[in-house]
Amino acid sequence: GVGELTPKAIVHIGSHTMATSDGQFTVTGLEAGKYEVKITSEHFHPYEGNITITSESVMLNVTMKTKYTPEEMDLFARLVYAEAAGESTLGRIAVAASVLNRLADSRYPNTLKEVIMQTVEVDGKSYYQYSPILDGRIWELDPKTQPEAYTASMQAIYAALAGEDPSQGATGFYNPSKVSPTSWVTQQPRTVKIGNHQFFL
């Protein structure tokens, strides 16, 4: 699980493959013996181990670690805080999910840090993809003096890592009140509006 949340995972035991439900799985019909177990989940390092099946019920407890470094998670929390300041819990989760959706999209870099810090070049000038990096707001969150805000950002990230996606698959978002109606972002396919953010594919 991630906090109190349980990401979806695929479990392989012997010739059996199944998906978890609420972080749990049950397999029946295995003959007694030793089996290799592999558990995979999108944002986590795979688990590999062994289990010995006897005539009794056997329970396997597994803790999976995220693929992302502490540095990336800290950067991610700061971005969510800066981008979703004043937004609801749902709005923070949607922002976090949209970042993870970029990570899964071949149009964007393939590490979390590179997605967050990505720049694009327009007319010979480089621009950050996320405005809080451009204007420095991403560095305003201090985990020591603002522990509640930092925790709220991390909880939103954990929810997104566990598979929640209120953004409906979006890879970006913008505030319609702060963007010109002729901006390129307004021409993108929209998914949902949550709080002040319009999410788009």
Side-chain angles (χ1 to χ4, degrees), residues 102-122:
R102 276 194 184 201
L103 189 57
D105 190 316
S106 61
R107 295 176 296 170
Y108 298 96
N110 57 12
T111 72
L112 185 55
K113 183 178 180 180
E114 288 173 333
V115 164
I116 294 171
M117 302 300 287
Q118 184 184 15
T119 59
V120 292
E121 195 166 298
V122 179

Side-chain angles (χ1 to χ4, degrees), residues 78-153:
R78 291 171 181 279
L79 180 70
V80 169
Y81 171 78
E83 286 284 15
E87 297 294 322
S88 65
T89 298
L90 193 69
R92 288 192 297 271
I93 296 170
V95 165
S98 72
V99 175
L100 294 177
N101 291 339
R102 276 194 184 201
L103 189 57
D105 190 316
S106 61
R107 295 176 296 170
Y108 298 96
N110 57 12
T111 72
L112 185 55
K113 183 178 180 180
E114 288 173 333
V115 164
I116 294 171
M117 302 300 287
Q118 184 184 15
T119 59
V120 292
E121 195 166 298
V122 179
D123 297 329
K125 290 183 71 176
S126 290
Y127 295 92
Y128 284 107
Q129 292 282 287
Y130 294 104
S131 63
I133 299 170
L134 177 66
D135 61 24
R137 284 180 294 129
I138 193 168
W139 309 117
E140 291 177 0
L141 177 61
D142 184 341
K144 293 179 181 177
T145 60
Q146 299 165 282
E148 290 180 8
Y150 193 81
T151 297
S153 292

Side-chain angles (χ1 to χ4, degrees), residues 11-14 25 35-39 47-51 60:
V11 182
H12 305 271
I13 299 181
F25 67 93
Y35 293 86
E36 290 184 353
V37 179
K38 184 171 183 179
I39 305 176
Y47 167 86
E48 293 185 10
N50 294 290
I51 189 169
L60 176 69

